[in-house]
Amino acid sequence: MGAVTNVVYLIASVLFILGLKKLGSPKTARQGNVYSMLGMLLAIVITLLDREIIDFTYIIAGLLVGSVIGAIAAKKVEMTQMPQMVALFNGFGGIASTFVAYAEFVNTKHLVGGTDVVVSLVLSLLIGTVTFTGSMIAFLKLQGWMPGRPIVFKGQVAFNGLLLAATFVLGWMFGMDTLNGQTFLLVIIAIAAVLGVTSVIPIGGADMPVVISLLNSYSGLAAAATGFVLSNNVLIISGALVGASGIILTQIMCVAMNRSLANVLFAAVGTDSGSGASSGGEQRNVTRYTADDAAMIFENSESVIIVPGYGLAVAQAQHVMNELMQLLEKRGINVRFAIHPVAGRMPGHMNVLLAEANVSYDKLVEMDAINDDFQSTDVALVVGANDVINPAARYKKDSPLYGMPILNVDQAQRVMIIKRSLATGFAGEDNELFYDDNTMMLFGDAKKMLTDIVKILKDE
Amino acid sequence: MNEQILFSIYIFVLAIFVGFEVITKVPPLLHTPLMSGSNAISGITIVGAILSAGLGHSTLGQVLGMLAVISATINVVGGFMVTDRMLEMFKKDKKKEAK
């Protein structure tokens, strides 16, 4: 690798770091993405100029096919489908690492010798392949092509541990005789493929945000491992950046659910589908309110906080929600959105869904910044969210929700909840807020209910 | 352990710290674009893929390289494009800005 190439790789690395830094504010974020793109373009161009390249057929074919597929996917994807899209892209990143590492082995078999190369080669194949098959399972689950509930079998954790140990043993055996070691490497790839599947299938639908974040981190680590194989610093730096990013997001998601990473990965939460059976035979009364009642309350309020959940997006109600906000603001009412960290199907998903519906981003407030404001708010409007507002999380020690940070909607003067039924959320925990005197339950489809309220407010 | 690998480990560890510093400052508002954007960056493996596909040591190596180029390009092109599409949507109320 020439000095010029290395300098350009350094510039690319700096551009990636600056690009990520600019994601620190929505004002500069788009520019930041351009920085990263530029970094990538520079790295690709300088690599193409490498004098050792003798045949461009395969490269150009690959670049063309990949660009077309990537561009079509990026154009077509709906914002609600973002999580599975990211999972899919993650998977491709992972498998690319596997291919590169194996190709490097094929190309330079006679050079593979040192422990360092053997270790990075094995890790690169292992992480890359686990990322690939794991991401594919996550994709299938999120897309609904595979049941979202955890799939478990006896001794799953031990089985996965055994698989992992096997790859290390095989890696060691490969190291003994690298020249004839390709069978070992192929078996490692096969085992890693199984491991990716068996470690993601026991994770339930509600925990998917954690898994995608973790796989995001893996795809970075796979790139870094490949960087070690190739002694290529731009791969190592970029991979480390992405690895760190994924780990931080994983951590944030775990804290937001008050679960440890180990609990998410191994506990298979949601196995017994708790369909509201927790309340037993006890029948509690709920008063049903109508769109007219809701409109009247809004008329007489000064401040409203909206709590959106994934149900809002499922009902395709984001746009009418924005319309309602505009109407309320026209009447001088202060309207904001309170965004729980796990609202949506991946970190920050709800913000994207609302931004798509033209909600101004300064209206989207994160949980810690808005939680103290509920007590001075007239109406908290909850649409399609349940577990993240359940007060049981504060005190009910035997609840699966216990300890999870929640939005303090119960402190608002009035709580309006738009919901199809009294069914429980993912956690299967009954929500006492539904039966509170301050709560108005508006039963029905979120989109229809909001449209009705908007109609009434417009007519007046 | 030779010098090269030690040097690589240095870089790796320092880059992780840089990553932590930079990424903890990204607000939750932008976590989805952060994920898709960083995802695109992890497609940097494309650099290694291009070399494998072009060096021509063996047909197998080249074919594997091409498969790697395809996968990494999907990751890079798709990731950056979809991130741009999302970031374009994040807008502030124009009325407010006029004030």
Side-chain angles (χ1 to χ4, degrees), chain A residues 398-427:
Chain A
D398 58 341
S399 164
L401 291 175
Y402 180 68
M404 175 173 132
I406 56 162
L407 288 160
N408 299 329
V409 289
D410 53 333
Q411 293 174 0
Q413 298 297 315
R414 276 258 172 198
V415 184
M416 266 183 216
I417 301 177
I418 301 181
K419 218 173 168 303
R420 286 179 172 278
S421 67
L422 285 175
T424 59
F426 273 123

PDB file of all heavy atoms in Angstrom, chain A residues 398-427:
ATOM      1  N   ASP A 398     -43.417  -7.206  41.211  1.00  0.00           N
ATOM      2  CA  ASP A 398     -43.438  -8.477  40.491  1.00  0.00           C
ATOM      3  C   ASP A 398     -43.791  -8.307  39.008  1.00  0.00           C
ATOM      4  O   ASP A 398     -43.919  -9.276  38.275  1.00  0.00           O
ATOM      5  CB  ASP A 398     -44.435  -9.445  41.149  1.00  0.00           C
ATOM      6  CG  ASP A 398     -45.828  -8.852  41.191  1.00  0.00           C
ATOM      7  OD1 ASP A 398     -45.947  -7.612  41.060  1.00  0.00           O
ATOM      8  OD2 ASP A 398     -46.793  -9.620  41.339  1.00  0.00           O
ATOM      9  N   SER A 399     -43.949  -7.042  38.602  1.00  0.00           N
ATOM     10  CA  SER A 399     -44.311  -6.810  37.199  1.00  0.00           C
ATOM     11  C   SER A 399     -43.084  -6.883  36.299  1.00  0.00           C
ATOM     12  O   SER A 399     -41.990  -6.456  36.682  1.00  0.00           O
ATOM     13  CB  SER A 399     -44.947  -5.428  37.071  1.00  0.00           C
ATOM     14  OG  SER A 399     -44.955  -5.032  35.717  1.00  0.00           O
ATOM     15  N   PRO A 400     -43.249  -7.412  35.095  1.00  0.00           N
ATOM     16  CA  PRO A 400     -42.106  -7.424  34.162  1.00  0.00           C
ATOM     17  C   PRO A 400     -41.654  -6.013  33.791  1.00  0.00           C
ATOM     18  O   PRO A 400     -40.546  -5.821  33.298  1.00  0.00           O
ATOM     19  CB  PRO A 400     -42.662  -8.162  32.927  1.00  0.00           C
ATOM     20  CG  PRO A 400     -44.136  -8.194  33.077  1.00  0.00           C
ATOM     21  CD  PRO A 400     -44.438  -8.075  34.530  1.00  0.00           C
ATOM     22  N   LEU A 401     -42.539  -5.046  34.028  1.00  0.00           N
ATOM     23  CA  LEU A 401     -42.197  -3.665  33.679  1.00  0.00           C
ATOM     24  C   LEU A 401     -41.440  -2.956  34.793  1.00  0.00           C
ATOM     25  O   LEU A 401     -40.907  -1.869  34.587  1.00  0.00           O
ATOM     26  CB  LEU A 401     -43.472  -2.864  33.401  1.00  0.00           C
ATOM     27  CG  LEU A 401     -44.262  -3.204  32.149  1.00  0.00           C
ATOM     28  CD1 LEU A 401     -45.545  -2.401  32.123  1.00  0.00           C
ATOM     29  CD2 LEU A 401     -43.433  -2.925  30.918  1.00  0.00           C
ATOM     30  N   TYR A 402     -41.429  -3.560  35.999  1.00  0.00           N
ATOM     31  CA  TYR A 402     -40.917  -2.846  37.165  1.00  0.00           C
ATOM     32  C   TYR A 402     -39.520  -2.274  36.923  1.00  0.00           C
ATOM     33  O   TYR A 402     -38.604  -2.971  36.498  1.00  0.00           O
ATOM     34  CB  TYR A 402     -40.892  -3.774  38.384  1.00  0.00           C
ATOM     35  CG  TYR A 402     -40.375  -3.091  39.630  1.00  0.00           C
ATOM     36  CD1 TYR A 402     -41.115  -2.080  40.233  1.00  0.00           C
ATOM     37  CD2 TYR A 402     -39.138  -3.429  40.167  1.00  0.00           C
ATOM     38  CE1 TYR A 402     -40.640  -1.440  41.357  1.00  0.00           C
ATOM     39  CE2 TYR A 402     -38.650  -2.776  41.301  1.00  0.00           C
ATOM     40  CZ  TYR A 402     -39.409  -1.779  41.885  1.00  0.00           C
ATOM     41  OH  TYR A 402     -38.947  -1.126  42.988  1.00  0.00           O
ATOM     42  N   GLY A 403     -39.382  -0.974  37.211  1.00  0.00           N
ATOM     43  CA  GLY A 403     -38.079  -0.325  37.086  1.00  0.00           C
ATOM     44  C   GLY A 403     -37.842   0.337  35.751  1.00  0.00           C
ATOM     45  O   GLY A 403     -36.905   1.101  35.583  1.00  0.00           O
ATOM     46  N   MET A 404     -38.730   0.051  34.791  1.00  0.00           N
ATOM     47  CA  MET A 404     -38.553   0.674  33.481  1.00  0.00           C
ATOM     48  C   MET A 404     -38.946   2.146  33.559  1.00  0.00           C
ATOM     49  O   MET A 404     -39.957   2.491  34.137  1.00  0.00           O
ATOM     50  CB  MET A 404     -39.459  -0.045  32.470  1.00  0.00           C
ATOM     51  CG  MET A 404     -39.476   0.555  31.102  1.00  0.00           C
ATOM     52  SD  MET A 404     -40.399  -0.508  29.970  1.00  0.00           S
ATOM     53  CE  MET A 404     -41.431   0.700  29.192  1.00  0.00           C
ATOM     54  N   PRO A 405     -38.119   3.042  33.029  1.00  0.00           N
ATOM     55  CA  PRO A 405     -38.507   4.452  33.062  1.00  0.00           C
ATOM     56  C   PRO A 405     -39.749   4.671  32.193  1.00  0.00           C
ATOM     57  O   PRO A 405     -39.815   4.175  31.069  1.00  0.00           O
ATOM     58  CB  PRO A 405     -37.293   5.176  32.459  1.00  0.00           C
ATOM     59  CG  PRO A 405     -36.376   4.139  31.942  1.00  0.00           C
ATOM     60  CD  PRO A 405     -36.849   2.801  32.353  1.00  0.00           C
ATOM     61  N   ILE A 406     -40.732   5.388  32.744  1.00  0.00           N
ATOM     62  CA  ILE A 406     -41.952   5.613  31.967  1.00  0.00           C
ATOM     63  C   ILE A 406     -42.223   7.106  31.826  1.00  0.00           C
ATOM     64  O   ILE A 406     -41.652   7.932  32.532  1.00  0.00           O
ATOM     65  CB  ILE A 406     -43.195   4.953  32.619  1.00  0.00           C
ATOM     66  CG1 ILE A 406     -43.375   5.458  34.053  1.00  0.00           C
ATOM     67  CG2 ILE A 406     -43.098   3.445  32.549  1.00  0.00           C
ATOM     68  CD1 ILE A 406     -44.757   5.202  34.597  1.00  0.00           C
ATOM     69  N   LEU A 407     -43.122   7.443  30.920  1.00  0.00           N
ATOM     70  CA  LEU A 407     -43.556   8.825  30.749  1.00  0.00           C
ATOM     71  C   LEU A 407     -44.632   9.109  31.793  1.00  0.00           C
ATOM     72  O   LEU A 407     -45.571   8.328  31.963  1.00  0.00           O
ATOM     73  CB  LEU A 407     -44.107   9.012  29.335  1.00  0.00           C
ATOM     74  CG  LEU A 407     -43.039   9.003  28.233  1.00  0.00           C
ATOM     75  CD1 LEU A 407     -43.660   8.701  26.887  1.00  0.00           C
ATOM     76  CD2 LEU A 407     -42.304  10.333  28.185  1.00  0.00           C
ATOM     77  N   ASN A 408     -44.517  10.239  32.477  1.00  0.00           N
ATOM     78  CA  ASN A 408     -45.417  10.543  33.594  1.00  0.00           C
ATOM     79  C   ASN A 408     -46.774  11.084  33.138  1.00  0.00           C
ATOM     80  O   ASN A 408     -47.221  12.113  33.633  1.00  0.00           O
ATOM     81  CB  ASN A 408     -44.774  11.570  34.525  1.00  0.00           C
ATOM     82  CG  ASN A 408     -43.488  11.043  35.118  1.00  0.00           C
ATOM     83  OD1 ASN A 408     -43.338   9.841  35.322  1.00  0.00           O
ATOM     84  ND2 ASN A 408     -42.546  11.939  35.393  1.00  0.00           N
ATOM     85  N   VAL A 409     -47.430  10.403  32.214  1.00  0.00           N
ATOM     86  CA  VAL A 409     -48.700  10.931  31.713  1.00  0.00           C
ATOM     87  C   VAL A 409     -49.749  11.028  32.811  1.00  0.00           C
ATOM     88  O   VAL A 409     -50.630  11.881  32.781  1.00  0.00           O
ATOM     89  CB  VAL A 409     -49.271  10.078  30.564  1.00  0.00           C
ATOM     90  CG1 VAL A 409     -48.469  10.224  29.314  1.00  0.00           C
ATOM     91  CG2 VAL A 409     -49.365   8.631  30.963  1.00  0.00           C
ATOM     92  N   ASP A 410     -49.655  10.165  33.822  1.00  0.00           N
ATOM     93  CA  ASP A 410     -50.666  10.159  34.877  1.00  0.00           C
ATOM     94  C   ASP A 410     -50.660  11.443  35.692  1.00  0.00           C
ATOM     95  O   ASP A 410     -51.596  11.720  36.421  1.00  0.00           O
ATOM     96  CB  ASP A 410     -50.476   8.940  35.789  1.00  0.00           C
ATOM     97  CG  ASP A 410     -49.052   8.849  36.329  1.00  0.00           C
ATOM     98  OD1 ASP A 410     -48.135   9.359  35.653  1.00  0.00           O
ATOM     99  OD2 ASP A 410     -48.863   8.280  37.417  1.00  0.00           O
ATOM    100  N   GLN A 411     -49.600  12.235  35.546  1.00  0.00           N
ATOM    101  CA  GLN A 411     -49.543  13.491  36.302  1.00  0.00           C
ATOM    102  C   GLN A 411     -50.250  14.642  35.588  1.00  0.00           C
ATOM    103  O   GLN A 411     -50.437  15.712  36.152  1.00  0.00           O
ATOM    104  CB  GLN A 411     -48.085  13.871  36.563  1.00  0.00           C
ATOM    105  CG  GLN A 411     -47.399  12.886  37.499  1.00  0.00           C
ATOM    106  CD  GLN A 411     -45.917  13.174  37.645  1.00  0.00           C
ATOM    107  OE1 GLN A 411     -45.394  14.103  37.043  1.00  0.00           O
ATOM    108  NE2 GLN A 411     -45.246  12.372  38.447  1.00  0.00           N
ATOM    109  N   ALA A 412     -50.637  14.427  34.347  1.00  0.00           N
ATOM    110  CA  ALA A 412     -51.340  15.482  33.611  1.00  0.00           C
ATOM    111  C   ALA A 412     -52.760  15.624  34.163  1.00  0.00           C
ATOM    112  O   ALA A 412     -53.284  14.707  34.791  1.00  0.00           O
ATOM    113  CB  ALA A 412     -51.379  15.149  32.131  1.00  0.00           C
ATOM    114  N   GLN A 413     -53.371  16.814  33.943  1.00  0.00           N
ATOM    115  CA  GLN A 413     -54.726  17.042  34.432  1.00  0.00           C
ATOM    116  C   GLN A 413     -55.699  16.005  33.875  1.00  0.00           C
ATOM    117  O   GLN A 413     -56.569  15.512  34.572  1.00  0.00           O
ATOM    118  CB  GLN A 413     -55.211  18.449  34.010  1.00  0.00           C
ATOM    119  CG  GLN A 413     -54.394  19.594  34.568  1.00  0.00           C
ATOM    120  CD  GLN A 413     -54.450  19.639  36.073  1.00  0.00           C
ATOM    121  OE1 GLN A 413     -55.524  19.507  36.656  1.00  0.00           O
ATOM    122  NE2 GLN A 413     -53.307  19.796  36.715  1.00  0.00           N
ATOM    123  N   ARG A 414     -55.529  15.721  32.613  1.00  0.00           N
ATOM    124  CA  ARG A 414     -56.396  14.772  31.927  1.00  0.00           C
ATOM    125  C   ARG A 414     -55.543  13.854  31.070  1.00  0.00           C
ATOM    126  O   ARG A 414     -54.560  14.300  30.467  1.00  0.00           O
ATOM    127  CB  ARG A 414     -57.345  15.510  30.978  1.00  0.00           C
ATOM    128  CG  ARG A 414     -58.572  16.025  31.636  1.00  0.00           C
ATOM    129  CD  ARG A 414     -59.708  15.101  31.299  1.00  0.00           C
ATOM    130  NE  ARG A 414     -60.886  15.429  32.059  1.00  0.00           N
ATOM    131  CZ  ARG A 414     -61.891  14.566  32.207  1.00  0.00           C
ATOM    132  NH1 ARG A 414     -61.805  13.388  31.641  1.00  0.00           N
ATOM    133  NH2 ARG A 414     -62.949  14.901  32.895  1.00  0.00           N
ATOM    134  N   VAL A 415     -55.920  12.590  31.006  1.00  0.00           N
ATOM    135  CA  VAL A 415     -55.223  11.670  30.122  1.00  0.00           C
ATOM    136  C   VAL A 415     -56.233  11.149  29.100  1.00  0.00           C
ATOM    137  O   VAL A 415     -57.321  10.711  29.472  1.00  0.00           O
ATOM    138  CB  VAL A 415     -54.631  10.472  30.894  1.00  0.00           C
ATOM    139  CG1 VAL A 415     -53.822   9.590  29.956  1.00  0.00           C
ATOM    140  CG2 VAL A 415     -53.772  10.959  32.044  1.00  0.00           C
ATOM    141  N   MET A 416     -55.885  11.269  27.838  1.00  0.00           N
ATOM    142  CA  MET A 416     -56.742  10.695  26.785  1.00  0.00           C
ATOM    143  C   MET A 416     -55.970   9.558  26.156  1.00  0.00           C
ATOM    144  O   MET A 416     -54.823   9.723  25.765  1.00  0.00           O
ATOM    145  CB  MET A 416     -56.973  11.725  25.685  1.00  0.00           C
ATOM    146  CG  MET A 416     -58.211  12.534  25.844  1.00  0.00           C
ATOM    147  SD  MET A 416     -58.289  13.582  24.392  1.00  0.00           S
ATOM    148  CE  MET A 416     -58.963  15.031  25.160  1.00  0.00           C
ATOM    149  N   ILE A 417     -56.602   8.406  26.081  1.00  0.00           N
ATOM    150  CA  ILE A 417     -55.912   7.264  25.488  1.00  0.00           C
ATOM    151  C   ILE A 417     -56.731   6.724  24.321  1.00  0.00           C
ATOM    152  O   ILE A 417     -57.883   6.325  24.498  1.00  0.00           O
ATOM    153  CB  ILE A 417     -55.672   6.160  26.533  1.00  0.00           C
ATOM    154  CG1 ILE A 417     -54.837   6.714  27.701  1.00  0.00           C
ATOM    155  CG2 ILE A 417     -54.966   4.966  25.899  1.00  0.00           C
ATOM    156  CD1 ILE A 417     -54.603   5.738  28.826  1.00  0.00           C
ATOM    157  N   ILE A 418     -56.146   6.773  23.132  1.00  0.00           N
ATOM    158  CA  ILE A 418     -56.812   6.183  21.975  1.00  0.00           C
ATOM    159  C   ILE A 418     -56.268   4.782  21.797  1.00  0.00           C
ATOM    160  O   ILE A 418     -55.062   4.571  21.679  1.00  0.00           O
ATOM    161  CB  ILE A 418     -56.560   6.999  20.698  1.00  0.00           C
ATOM    162  CG1 ILE A 418     -57.057   8.424  20.876  1.00  0.00           C
ATOM    163  CG2 ILE A 418     -57.239   6.330  19.500  1.00  0.00           C
ATOM    164  CD1 ILE A 418     -56.872   9.311  19.665  1.00  0.00           C
ATOM    165  N   LYS A 419     -57.166   3.796  21.823  1.00  0.00           N
ATOM    166  CA  LYS A 419     -56.735   2.403  21.827  1.00  0.00           C
ATOM    167  C   LYS A 419     -57.849   1.552  21.249  1.00  0.00           C
ATOM    168  O   LYS A 419     -59.017   1.910  21.325  1.00  0.00           O
ATOM    169  CB  LYS A 419     -56.460   2.000  23.290  1.00  0.00           C
ATOM    170  CG  LYS A 419     -55.274   1.094  23.464  1.00  0.00           C
ATOM    171  CD  LYS A 419     -54.974   0.877  24.937  1.00  0.00           C
ATOM    172  CE  LYS A 419     -53.987  -0.254  25.104  1.00  0.00           C
ATOM    173  NZ  LYS A 419     -54.423  -1.517  24.508  1.00  0.00           N
ATOM    174  N   ARG A 420     -57.472   0.434  20.662  1.00  0.00           N
ATOM    175  CA  ARG A 420     -58.491  -0.447  20.092  1.00  0.00           C
ATOM    176  C   ARG A 420     -59.282  -1.157  21.178  1.00  0.00           C
ATOM    177  O   ARG A 420     -60.481  -1.321  21.089  1.00  0.00           O
ATOM    178  CB  ARG A 420     -57.826  -1.503  19.205  1.00  0.00           C
ATOM    179  CG  ARG A 420     -57.347  -0.939  17.913  1.00  0.00           C
ATOM    180  CD  ARG A 420     -56.668  -2.021  17.086  1.00  0.00           C
ATOM    181  NE  ARG A 420     -56.392  -1.497  15.771  1.00  0.00           N
ATOM    182  CZ  ARG A 420     -57.293  -1.456  14.803  1.00  0.00           C
ATOM    183  NH1 ARG A 420     -58.502  -1.929  15.015  1.00  0.00           N
ATOM    184  NH2 ARG A 420     -56.997  -0.946  13.633  1.00  0.00           N
ATOM    185  N   SER A 421     -58.578  -1.614  22.214  1.00  0.00           N
ATOM    186  CA  SER A 421     -59.231  -2.388  23.265  1.00  0.00           C
ATOM    187  C   SER A 421     -58.435  -2.208  24.546  1.00  0.00           C
ATOM    188  O   SER A 421     -57.500  -1.429  24.606  1.00  0.00           O
ATOM    189  CB  SER A 421     -59.238  -3.864  22.888  1.00  0.00           C
ATOM    190  OG  SER A 421     -57.902  -4.339  22.896  1.00  0.00           O
ATOM    191  N   LEU A 422     -58.815  -2.975  25.557  1.00  0.00           N
ATOM    192  CA  LEU A 422     -58.082  -2.880  26.825  1.00  0.00           C
ATOM    193  C   LEU A 422     -56.901  -3.846  26.871  1.00  0.00           C
ATOM    194  O   LEU A 422     -56.292  -4.034  27.919  1.00  0.00           O
ATOM    195  CB  LEU A 422     -59.018  -3.180  27.994  1.00  0.00           C
ATOM    196  CG  LEU A 422     -60.009  -2.070  28.352  1.00  0.00           C
ATOM    197  CD1 LEU A 422     -60.948  -2.540  29.450  1.00  0.00           C
ATOM    198  CD2 LEU A 422     -59.287  -0.805  28.799  1.00  0.00           C
ATOM    199  N   ALA A 423     -56.588  -4.451  25.741  1.00  0.00           N
ATOM    200  CA  ALA A 423     -55.531  -5.461  25.722  1.00  0.00           C
ATOM    201  C   ALA A 423     -54.214  -4.903  26.276  1.00  0.00           C
ATOM    202  O   ALA A 423     -53.949  -3.703  26.204  1.00  0.00           O
ATOM    203  CB  ALA A 423     -55.304  -5.964  24.303  1.00  0.00           C
ATOM    204  N   THR A 424     -53.409  -5.806  26.823  1.00  0.00           N
ATOM    205  CA  THR A 424     -52.143  -5.377  27.408  1.00  0.00           C
ATOM    206  C   THR A 424     -51.096  -5.179  26.319  1.00  0.00           C
ATOM    207  O   THR A 424     -51.287  -5.582  25.179  1.00  0.00           O
ATOM    208  CB  THR A 424     -51.613  -6.446  28.382  1.00  0.00           C
ATOM    209  OG1 THR A 424     -51.452  -7.657  27.650  1.00  0.00           O
ATOM    210  CG2 THR A 424     -52.569  -6.659  29.521  1.00  0.00           C
ATOM    211  N   GLY A 425     -49.991  -4.540  26.696  1.00  0.00           N
ATOM    212  CA  GLY A 425     -48.886  -4.338  25.750  1.00  0.00           C
ATOM    213  C   GLY A 425     -48.020  -5.585  25.674  1.00  0.00           C
ATOM    214  O   GLY A 425     -48.418  -6.663  26.127  1.00  0.00           O
ATOM    215  N   PHE A 426     -46.819  -5.424  25.133  1.00  0.00           N
ATOM    216  CA  PHE A 426     -45.882  -6.537  24.984  1.00  0.00           C
ATOM    217  C   PHE A 426     -45.625  -7.245  26.308  1.00  0.00           C
ATOM    218  O   PHE A 426     -45.476  -8.448  26.361  1.00  0.00           O
ATOM    219  CB  PHE A 426     -44.537  -6.021  24.459  1.00  0.00           C
ATOM    220  CG  PHE A 426     -44.476  -5.946  22.976  1.00  0.00           C
ATOM    221  CD1 PHE A 426     -44.183  -4.754  22.338  1.00  0.00           C
ATOM    222  CD2 PHE A 426     -44.705  -7.072  22.203  1.00  0.00           C
ATOM    223  CE1 PHE A 426     -44.118  -4.685  20.968  1.00  0.00           C
ATOM    224  CE2 PHE A 426     -44.645  -7.017  20.827  1.00  0.00           C
ATOM    225  CZ  PHE A 426     -44.353  -5.820  20.208  1.00  0.00           C
ATOM    226  N   ALA A 427     -45.582  -6.449  27.398  1.00  0.00           N
ATOM    227  CA  ALA A 427     -45.199  -7.021  28.686  1.00  0.00           C
ATOM    228  C   ALA A 427     -46.329  -7.821  29.331  1.00  0.00           C
ATOM    229  O   ALA A 427     -46.122  -8.508  30.313  1.00  0.00           O
ATOM    230  CB  ALA A 427     -44.735  -5.915  29.630  1.00  0.00           C
TER     231      ALA A 427
END
